[in-house]
Amino acid sequence: MSFHKITSSFTAAPQLTEEAVAKAAAEGYRSIFCMRPDEEEAGQPSSTRIAEAAARHGLAFASFPVAAGQVADSATVARMAEAFRTMPHPVLGYCRTGQRAVSIWALSQSGILDPDEIVALAQSGGFNVEPLRPQLLPLAPVGGRKTFSVVIVGGGAAGISVAASLLKRQKNLSVAIIDGATEHYYQPGWTMVGAGVFSADFTRRSEASVIPGGAQWLRSFVRSFSPASNEVVLVDGTVVEYSVLIVAAGIKLDWDAIPGLTETLGKNGVTSNYRYDLAPYTYRLAKELRGGRALFTQPPMPIKCAGAPQKAMYLSCDIWQSAGVLRNINVQFHNAGGVLFGVAAYVPALMKYVERYGISLQFGSRLVAVDGPARTATFEKDGERIERSFDMLHVVPPQVAPDVVARSELAGKDGFVEVDPATMRHVRFSNIYALGDVAGTSNAKTAAAARKQAPVVAGNVLATLHDKEPDYVYDGYGSCPLTVERGRIVLAEFGYGGKLLPTFPKWLLDGLRPTRLAWFLKARVLPSLYWNGMLKGKEVFAKPARRNDA
C-alpha cells in the first residue's frame, strides 16, 4: 500500500487494511482519519475495524465520512479542522483512493494556508483540488498585525447580529469578524428539514452574503486569546488587536464523546437534526419506518435549544400517525435530565402529545455508546448500563464550550465565557463581552436569545468605547417553538428563572397551548426575520432595555 505525503503533518492513502494500520504505526503516524462511509463497496473494511486496529497500535482515530462524488459540507470540514488542530500529528487520512481525504484536508486548511499552496501541495501528492479553489479563501500574511476598535470572534447568528447592530448605531466603527466558515446556516430551520417542511438548502447561504457592510471579515480561526494585551492570535500567526472584544464562538457539538456514534451517523438508522447534512436523513427515516423501535435522545444540559430533541420526536410521530403506522412503533425518549421541559408551565401541553403518541419517557437515561451495524444503543441509568435495539435513533450529542474558549482565561468553571448575565460583560475583563451559545449564562441557548442579546451587547460595547458604564440589560429571554405536530406549535418564551416572557397578548397567541398561529410564525415569519431582520441589525421585538427603565 502506498501513502501519499501532502505535508509533514498530513498524508493521504487509499482504503486502509489492518496491515496498513500496522505499517502506519511503524512509520510514525499518530492519528488516522477515515473519510469514507462504511459499506461503500463489498468487502470494504469497516471504520470500526480500522479504529480498533488503530487503538491496538496506539493511534488516535476520527471519522469524517463523505459519499463518493460529493463535496464535504462545512460542518464536516469544521470537525475535520478541529480534529486536525487538536489530535496528534502526523495524520494519515484515507478514503477509497485518497482523493476525498485530500479534498477534505484542503477545505479544512482554507483560511490557514494560501489557496495556491493548498493546490500545489495536493498536486505534489498526485491529487487535484483545483475545482475547490473558489472555496479556498486567501489569507492575511502570516505573522501580520491588524488593529480594530471591535473584534468579534464568530460569524454565526450571534456574531453577525451584534456586528450589524453595532454598525447600525455607528457606521464608521472599525469592526472585524473572525470566522473561517464559508457557509452560514439558519439552524432553527433544521427541525423543519427533519420533518420535510423545509429543504436543507432553504437554511443555507454563503457566509460572505451575511457579513454586514462596513465590517471586515477575517477568514480564519482563533488560536488563542491574550486579554492582558488586548489581542487574539489566529491559527496562521496573525495578531489581531482590539479595543473591545466580543466572543460569539458558539458551542461545540461533541459527537466523538459517544463511542461508535461518529462513524454511523447518516446510516444504519442513526440521524440527528443537529447537523445540516443529517436533517434530511431524519425525514427519510421517518417516512420509511413502518414498525419497530424509534429512540430519541437528549444529553445533559447545556445544549442548543433544549426543546429540539423532542421536536424531532413529535414531528416524526405526527408522520407515523398520519401514515397509520404509529401503533406499530415503540417510541422512547431517553432524556438525561429529570423533566420533560425546564419551564414547568409548558409541560401540561407537551404531556398531552406524549400521551397522544404513546411515547415512553425515560428520564435520567444518558446515551453512552452506539453500535450502528448492530443497531444497538447503550444508555446509562441509575448507575447501570442498558442496551436497546433500534430501527431509528435520533441523537443529540453532548455539548461543551469550544476548546479555544474553554482553555483560555476567559472561561469560567464550566468552560464558557464568564459574563455578567445582565450586561453580558466579562466579570474580570471590562472590555470583553460575549453572547450567544458561548456565553456562560443560564438562559436557553437559542437563536432567539442571541437576537435579544445582540442590541444589549452593541449598546454596552459602544458605552465601553466611550469610557462609560454599560447600562443595557438582558432579561434572559429565550424562545423555543415546540413543534408538537405539523401545523401546531407550543410557543415557549421565557427568561431567567423560568419567568414567562410572551411577545404577544394571550388573546392573540396563547403560548401555553398548541396554536396554528405559532406554526405560521415558525414556518413563514421567523426565517425572514432571521435573514432580513436579525442579521441586518433590525431590532424587531428586540429593543434593548436599560437598567433603570421602569
Side-chain angles (χ1 to χ4, degrees):
M1 165 155 313
S2 58
F3 296 163
H4 304 273
K5 189 172 182 179
I6 308 300
T7 71
S8 60
S9 297
F10 183 77
T11 296
Q15 173 67 56
L16 294 184
T17 60
E18 294 178 60
E19 292 76 15
V21 173
K23 174 186 174 184
E27 293 185 9
Y29 291 95
R30 300 181 63 197
S31 296
I32 290 178
F33 288 1
C34 170
M35 280 77 158
R36 190 183 191 192
D38 285 341
E39 301 174 0
E40 197 171 62
E41 65 180 358
Q44 168 190 335
S46 69
S47 57
T48 301
R49 279 179 56 193
I50 301 303
E52 291 171 348
R56 287 196 299 272
H57 292 281
L59 305 183
F61 181 89
S63 180
F64 314 98
V66 173
Q70 294 186 10
V71 176
D73 65 276
S74 63
T76 299
V77 172
R79 291 191 299 111
M80 156 69 179
E82 178 66 16
F84 194 66
R85 287 195 298 270
T86 58
M87 290 176 67
H89 287 187
V91 173
L92 179 64
Y94 76 92
C95 58
R96 187 178 69 84
T97 65
Q99 178 64 53
R100 268 172 285 176
V102 174
S103 295
I104 300 172
W105 167 84
L107 291 169
S108 77
Q109 299 306 292
S110 177
I112 299 173
L113 301 177
D114 185 79
D116 289 338
E117 183 179 5
I118 294 173
V119 171
L121 286 168
Q123 190 172 22
S124 71
F127 300 96
N128 178 24
V129 297
E130 184 66 37
L132 298 177
R133 185 181 286 276
Q135 296 169 258
L136 305 178
L137 302 168
L139 289 177
V142 173
R145 176 175 286 271
K146 294 177 177 289
T147 303
F148 300 90
S149 296
V150 179
V151 169
I152 301 169
V153 176
I160 297 298
S161 298
V162 74
S165 290
L166 280 165
L167 290 165
K168 208 162 185 64
R169 288 168 168 78
Q170 186 173 326
K171 295 187 186 304
N172 62 347
L173 191 63
S174 171
V175 176
I177 299 171
I178 301 172
D179 199 312
T182 59
E183 294 176 323
H184 187 102
Y185 296 99
Y186 175 55
Q187 295 183 27
W190 291 348
T191 291
M192 304 291 261
V193 174
V197 180
F198 293 166
S199 69
D201 283 345
F202 179 75
T203 68
R204 178 180 66 177
R205 295 187 184 179
S206 70
E207 181 72 9
S209 71
V210 299
I211 299 293
Q216 185 171 342
W217 180 21
L218 304 183
R219 293 167 288 196
S220 188
F221 296 97
V222 171
R223 176 191 295 164
S224 62
F225 295 93
S226 300
S229 56
N230 296 328
E231 296 172 343
V232 295
V233 181
L234 307 187
V235 291
D236 65 356
T238 300
V239 176
V240 184
E241 186 177 357
Y242 56 82
S243 298
V244 176
L245 174 68
I246 302 173
V247 185
I251 196 168
K252 176 183 175 182
L253 276 62
D254 197 2
W255 303 98
D256 293 331
I258 300 175
L261 175 59
T262 301
E263 51 265 40
T264 197
L265 283 167
K267 61 190 175 191
N268 299 319
V270 182
T271 188
S272 178
N273 285 349
Y274 275 68
R275 258 179 43 185
Y276 168 83
D277 60 317
L278 295 177
Y281 186 50
T282 301
Y283 180 54
R284 190 182 115 195
L285 289 172
K287 290 288 286 184
E288 293 176 354
L289 190 64
R290 289 294 179 266
R293 179 180 287 160
L295 307 179
F296 295 82
T297 77
Q298 179 170 321
M301 299 295 284
I303 63 172
K304 294 168 68 73
C305 189
Q310 54 189 297
K311 294 180 195 181
M313 176 174 66
Y314 298 139
L315 287 174
S316 295
C317 286
D318 184 67
I319 290 170
W320 296 326
Q321 188 173 64
S322 298
V325 298
L326 181 59
R327 63 183 178 277
N328 303 327
I329 300 173
N330 176 9
V331 183
Q332 298 181 9
F333 184 39
H334 289 262
N335 184 346
V339 294
L340 184 60
F341 193 69
V343 182
Y346 299 103
V347 172
L350 300 177
M351 280 302 301
K352 288 182 180 179
Y353 280 88
V354 169
E355 294 163 3
R356 170 177 166 176
Y357 296 135
I359 297 167
S360 172
L361 297 179
Q362 303 290 324
F363 293 124
S365 180
R366 180 172 62 92
L367 181 67
V368 294
V370 177
D371 186 334
R375 299 212 172 202
T376 302
T378 303
F379 297 90
E380 190 171 272
K381 185 175 182 178
D382 298 328
E384 296 184 7
R385 291 205 163 200
I386 304 166
E387 284 192 356
R388 289 285 183 270
S389 62
F390 63 82
D391 297 278
M392 174 180 174
L393 173 64
H394 181 276
V395 178
V396 178
Q399 294 164 43
V400 295
D403 294 340
V404 69
V405 172
R407 63 173 178 254
S408 75
E409 296 178 69
L410 308 185
K413 291 180 179 179
D414 60 359
F416 293 88
V417 181
E418 193 174 14
V419 296
D420 176 88
T423 64
M424 308 301 290
R425 182 165 72 169
H426 201 281
V427 299
R428 286 174 280 114
F429 303 105
S430 61
N431 65 334
I432 297 178
Y433 290 80
L435 78 160
D437 295 345
V438 78
T441 49
S442 62
N443 61 277
K445 294 185 182 296
T446 66
R451 178 170 59 84
K452 284 293 189 81
Q453 292 168 353
V456 170
V457 172
N460 288 341
V461 164
L462 292 177
T464 299
L465 287 170
H466 292 91
D467 297 321
K468 297 179 181 179
E469 280 298 302
D471 67 345
Y472 286 104
V473 292
Y474 168 60
D475 59 7
Y477 176 88
S479 175
C480 186
L482 292 151
T483 47
V484 290
E485 62 175 295
R486 190 181 181 109
R488 291 185 187 274
I489 279 176
V490 174
L491 183 58
E493 296 179 280
F494 49 91
Y496 288 136
K499 181 182 178 181
L500 302 189
L501 296 173
T503 299
F504 305 99
K506 189 173 182 179
W507 62 264
L508 179 61
L509 198 162
D510 184 355
L512 297 179
R513 64 181 184 85
T515 65
R516 292 192 180 279
L517 179 56
W519 177 272
F520 176 79
L521 288 172
K522 172 75 173 175
R524 300 291 184 88
V525 177
L526 294 183
S528 180
L529 179 63
Y530 180 83
W531 296 115
N532 303 314
M534 179 175 167
L535 299 189
K536 304 295 184 184
K538 298 175 183 177
E539 296 165 9
V540 181
F541 302 125
K543 184 179 179 181
R546 292 183 181 273
R547 192 180 297 276
N548 295 323
D549 286 351

XYZ file of all heavy atoms in Angstrom, residues 17-70:
394
model
N -6.178 -1.219 5.350
C -6.431 -2.533 5.929
C -5.797 -2.538 7.318
O -5.080 -1.604 7.693
C -5.791 -3.635 5.089
O -4.365 -3.403 5.054
C -6.328 -3.619 3.656
N -6.044 -3.588 8.067
C -5.420 -3.681 9.390
C -3.900 -3.766 9.265
O -3.174 -3.221 10.106
C -5.986 -4.890 10.135
C -7.466 -4.730 10.468
C -8.066 -5.939 11.157
O -7.582 -6.286 12.251
O -9.003 -6.534 10.601
N -3.429 -4.395 8.189
C -1.986 -4.464 7.968
C -1.413 -3.074 7.658
O -0.311 -2.728 8.103
C -1.671 -5.414 6.810
C -1.973 -6.880 7.096
C -3.473 -7.199 7.041
O -4.250 -6.367 6.504
O -3.862 -8.268 7.539
N -2.187 -2.263 6.925
C -1.734 -0.913 6.599
C -1.678 -0.037 7.846
O -0.827 0.856 7.945
C -2.653 -0.288 5.554
N -2.563 -0.288 8.793
C -2.525 0.460 10.055
C -1.230 0.149 10.795
O -0.573 1.048 11.355
C -3.748 0.125 10.928
C -3.617 0.757 12.311
C -5.026 0.597 10.255
N -0.842 -1.129 10.796
C 0.421 -1.507 11.434
C 1.589 -0.807 10.751
O 2.521 -0.329 11.418
C 0.594 -3.029 11.377
N 1.540 -0.730 9.416
C 2.590 -0.031 8.670
C 2.618 1.446 9.054
O 3.695 2.026 9.255
C 2.332 -0.176 7.173
C 3.288 0.631 6.298
C 2.894 0.572 4.822
C 3.779 1.493 3.992
N 3.364 1.543 2.574
N 1.434 2.052 9.179
C 1.362 3.468 9.537
C 1.985 3.715 10.905
O 2.726 4.687 11.103
C -0.086 3.928 9.517
N 1.679 2.827 11.851
C 2.254 2.978 13.189
C 3.773 2.856 13.149
O 4.494 3.632 13.793
C 1.655 1.935 14.131
N 4.254 1.897 12.356
C 5.700 1.692 12.247
C 6.390 2.884 11.623
O 7.559 3.168 11.929
C 5.977 0.423 11.435
N 5.688 3.606 10.729
C 6.279 4.760 10.059
C 6.115 6.059 10.844
O 6.497 7.124 10.367
C 5.684 4.908 8.660
C 6.076 3.769 7.726
C 5.591 3.986 6.300
O 5.096 5.085 5.988
O 5.729 3.045 5.491
N 5.501 5.968 12.020
C 5.456 7.133 12.888
C 4.181 7.951 12.851
O 4.112 9.028 13.473
N 3.161 7.493 12.145
C 1.889 8.225 12.145
C 1.237 8.074 13.516
O 1.341 7.024 14.158
C 0.972 7.724 11.038
C 1.482 8.093 9.665
C 2.250 7.202 8.928
C 1.235 9.361 9.147
C 2.757 7.551 7.684
C 1.735 9.720 7.898
C 2.496 8.824 7.183
O 3.006 9.180 5.969
N 0.527 9.138 13.939
C -0.036 9.140 15.283
C -1.568 9.217 15.306
O -2.177 8.975 16.334
C 0.567 10.293 16.094
C 2.088 10.199 16.227
C 2.628 11.336 17.063
N 2.109 11.283 18.423
C 2.149 12.319 19.273
N 2.649 13.480 18.875
N 1.654 12.198 20.494
N -2.156 9.595 14.178
C -3.614 9.650 14.083
C -4.052 9.156 12.718
O -3.338 9.345 11.719
C -4.141 11.081 14.288
O -3.876 11.566 15.572
N -5.232 8.545 12.667
C -5.830 8.103 11.404
C -7.200 8.742 11.272
O -8.012 8.689 12.206
C -5.935 6.570 11.342
C -4.539 5.960 11.221
C -6.815 6.130 10.175
C -4.520 4.452 11.210
N -7.449 9.347 10.095
C -8.751 9.943 9.796
C -9.407 9.145 8.672
O -8.801 8.940 7.618
C -8.596 11.396 9.329
C -8.215 12.370 10.407
C -8.006 11.973 11.716
C -8.053 13.715 10.103
C -7.648 12.876 12.707
C -7.701 14.628 11.074
C -7.500 14.211 12.384
N -10.634 8.708 8.912
C -11.397 7.999 7.891
C -12.353 8.970 7.213
O -13.168 9.612 7.880
C -12.182 6.848 8.522
S -13.372 6.081 7.394
N -12.298 9.084 5.888
C -13.192 9.964 5.139
C -14.145 9.167 4.250
O -14.785 9.718 3.364
C -12.389 10.931 4.264
C -11.822 12.125 5.023
S -10.373 11.707 5.991
C -9.609 13.318 6.169
N -14.254 7.876 4.480
C -15.068 7.021 3.621
C -16.222 6.395 4.389
O -16.019 5.824 5.474
C -14.198 5.909 3.042
C -14.877 5.103 1.949
C -14.008 3.964 1.459
N -14.577 3.381 0.251
C -14.180 2.234 -0.285
N -13.206 1.536 0.280
N -14.746 1.778 -1.384
N -17.437 6.466 3.872
C -18.565 5.791 4.544
C -18.385 4.279 4.509
O -17.806 3.730 3.563
C -19.784 6.217 3.710
C -19.341 7.401 2.917
C -17.877 7.212 2.681
N -18.880 3.610 5.524
C -18.873 2.150 5.526
C -19.795 1.618 4.427
O -20.712 2.310 3.967
C -19.336 1.619 6.877
C -18.261 1.761 7.947
O -17.082 1.924 7.592
O -18.612 1.717 9.149
N -19.532 0.391 4.009
C -20.378 -0.337 3.056
C -20.482 0.378 1.698
O -21.480 0.252 0.987
C -21.780 -0.548 3.641
C -21.758 -1.321 4.956
C -23.118 -1.414 5.600
O -24.087 -0.877 5.036
O -23.218 -2.010 6.693
N -19.430 1.109 1.332
C -19.433 1.759 0.022
C -19.254 0.722 -1.087
O -19.732 0.897 -2.202
C -18.316 2.809 -0.032
C -18.456 3.820 -1.144
C -17.467 4.957 -1.016
O -16.245 4.701 -1.078
O -17.910 6.117 -0.848
N -18.530 -0.325 -0.756
C -18.396 -1.436 -1.701
C -18.208 -2.731 -0.924
O -17.831 -2.724 0.253
C -17.235 -1.203 -2.669
C -15.867 -1.171 -2.025
C -14.765 -0.928 -3.050
O -15.096 -0.825 -4.239
O -13.605 -0.834 -2.648
N -18.482 -3.851 -1.580
C -18.394 -5.146 -0.929
C -16.963 -5.434 -0.482
O -16.004 -5.162 -1.198
C -18.869 -6.239 -1.883
N -16.849 -5.990 0.730
C -15.533 -6.384 1.231
C -14.716 -5.270 1.833
O -13.584 -5.503 2.288
N -15.250 -4.083 1.876
C -14.521 -2.941 2.414
C -14.386 -3.070 3.929
O -15.380 -3.283 4.617
C -15.283 -1.657 2.066
C -14.831 -0.406 2.777
C -15.801 0.732 2.546
O -16.516 0.773 1.550
N -15.843 1.666 3.477
N -13.168 -2.950 4.490
C -13.029 -2.991 5.953
C -13.811 -1.849 6.588
O -13.736 -0.708 6.128
C -11.523 -2.826 6.171
C -10.896 -3.219 4.874
C -11.871 -2.823 3.810
N -14.553 -2.141 7.633
C -15.370 -1.104 8.267
C -14.485 -0.124 9.031
O -13.359 -0.455 9.431
C -16.373 -1.727 9.229
O -15.709 -2.268 10.362
N -15.022 1.055 9.252
C -14.284 2.057 10.030
C -14.070 1.567 11.459
O -13.055 1.897 12.087
C -15.034 3.388 10.021
O -16.340 3.243 10.531
N -14.998 0.756 11.963
C -14.844 0.210 13.314
C -13.628 -0.699 13.400
O -12.845 -0.636 14.355
C -16.112 -0.562 13.727
O -17.233 0.323 13.692
C -15.968 -1.147 15.127
N -13.446 -1.546 12.372
C -12.272 -2.426 12.357
C -10.990 -1.630 12.296
O -10.006 -1.936 12.986
C -12.342 -3.388 11.162
C -13.229 -4.601 11.380
C -13.244 -5.476 10.145
N -11.900 -5.889 9.721
C -11.622 -6.441 8.539
N -12.607 -6.641 7.671
N -10.393 -6.800 8.239
N -10.976 -0.588 11.475
C -9.760 0.233 11.359
C -9.509 0.987 12.653
O -8.362 1.132 13.099
C -9.882 1.212 10.169
C -10.088 0.438 8.861
C -8.644 2.090 10.072
C -8.996 -0.574 8.546
N -10.590 1.468 13.300
C -10.439 2.170 14.576
C -9.875 1.234 15.643
O -9.014 1.625 16.448
C -11.782 2.733 15.021
N -10.350 -0.022 15.648
C -9.843 -0.988 16.619
C -8.373 -1.307 16.362
O -7.576 -1.427 17.305
C -10.694 -2.255 16.566
C -12.110 -2.062 17.097
C -13.008 -3.255 16.832
O -12.592 -4.149 16.036
O -14.116 -3.308 17.398
N -8.015 -1.429 15.077
C -6.612 -1.676 14.731
C -5.746 -0.492 15.143
O -4.631 -0.669 15.666
C -6.483 -1.941 13.231
N -6.258 0.721 14.925
C -5.513 1.920 15.328
C -5.285 1.922 16.839
O -4.178 2.217 17.316
C -6.274 3.170 14.891
N -6.329 1.592 17.587
C -6.205 1.569 19.055
C -5.162 0.551 19.507
O -4.393 0.810 20.446
C -7.563 1.263 19.685
N -5.129 -0.609 18.830
C -4.149 -1.636 19.209
C -2.723 -1.143 19.020
O -1.805 -1.566 19.732
C -4.361 -2.911 18.372
C -5.599 -3.705 18.754
C -5.544 -5.114 18.181
N -5.496 -5.139 16.734
C -6.559 -5.142 15.936
N -7.769 -5.134 16.475
N -6.418 -5.189 14.624
N -2.533 -0.254 18.062
C -1.186 0.258 17.773
C -0.941 1.633 18.396
O 0.055 2.285 18.084
C -0.966 0.329 16.259
C -0.893 -1.013 15.598
N 0.243 -1.805 15.635
C -1.824 -1.724 14.910
C 0.014 -2.935 14.979
N -1.232 -2.922 14.530
N -1.853 2.070 19.257
C -1.653 3.324 19.962
C -1.910 4.575 19.136
O -1.399 5.656 19.475
N -2.698 4.436 18.067
C -3.000 5.587 17.217
C -4.388 6.138 17.538
O -5.313 5.385 17.823
C -2.955 5.186 15.737
C -1.669 4.537 15.217
C -1.780 4.284 13.722
C -0.461 5.406 15.519
N -4.511 7.458 17.458
C -5.824 8.089 17.599
C -6.610 7.883 16.305
O -6.030 7.670 15.235
C -5.670 9.574 17.899
N -7.938 7.967 16.394
C -8.788 7.732 15.220
C -9.974 8.672 15.241
O -10.552 8.946 16.293
C -9.283 6.277 15.213
C -10.141 5.927 14.020
C -9.573 5.451 12.852
C -11.525 6.077 14.074
C -10.351 5.120 11.752
C -12.323 5.754 12.971
C -11.729 5.280 11.812
N -10.329 9.183 14.054
C -11.528 10.007 13.903
C -12.128 9.733 12.536
O -11.422 9.338 11.600
C -11.205 11.489 14.057
N -13.429 9.923 12.422
C -14.127 9.614 11.171
C -14.903 10.826 10.668
O -15.631 11.465 11.425
C -15.085 8.441 11.399
O -15.775 8.109 10.212
N -14.725 11.130 9.363
C -15.424 12.238 8.705
C -15.916 11.764 7.338
O -15.446 12.223 6.297
C -14.500 13.450 8.548
C -13.733 13.776 9.800
C -12.427 13.340 9.968
C -14.337 14.474 10.829
C -11.728 13.616 11.136
C -13.647 14.761 11.997
C -12.344 14.326 12.159
N -16.843 10.803 7.321
C -17.227 10.173 6.051
C -17.963 11.118 5.114
O -18.832 11.887 5.528
C -18.143 9.026 6.501
C -18.661 9.446 7.833
C -17.566 10.229 8.471
N -17.593 11.050 3.842
C -18.243 11.814 2.782
C -18.506 10.867 1.616
O -17.608 10.122 1.200
C -17.368 12.997 2.316
C -17.982 13.683 1.109
C -17.186 13.994 3.455
N -19.722 10.879 1.092
C -20.072 9.983 -0.003
C -19.278 10.293 -1.258
O -18.906 11.455 -1.512
C -21.571 10.080 -0.298
N -19.003 9.278 -2.055
C -18.244 9.453 -3.283
C -18.933 10.447 -4.202
O -20.150 10.430 -4.372
C -18.096 8.110 -3.999
N -18.140 11.333 -4.792
C -18.671 12.317 -5.731
C -19.252 13.554 -5.090
O -19.687 14.474 -5.789
N -19.280 13.605 -3.758
C -19.823 14.767 -3.064
C -18.714 15.602 -2.443
O -17.655 15.087 -2.086
C -20.803 14.335 -1.970
C -22.060 13.674 -2.507
C -23.073 13.395 -1.411
O -22.924 13.849 -0.283
N -24.106 12.647 -1.742
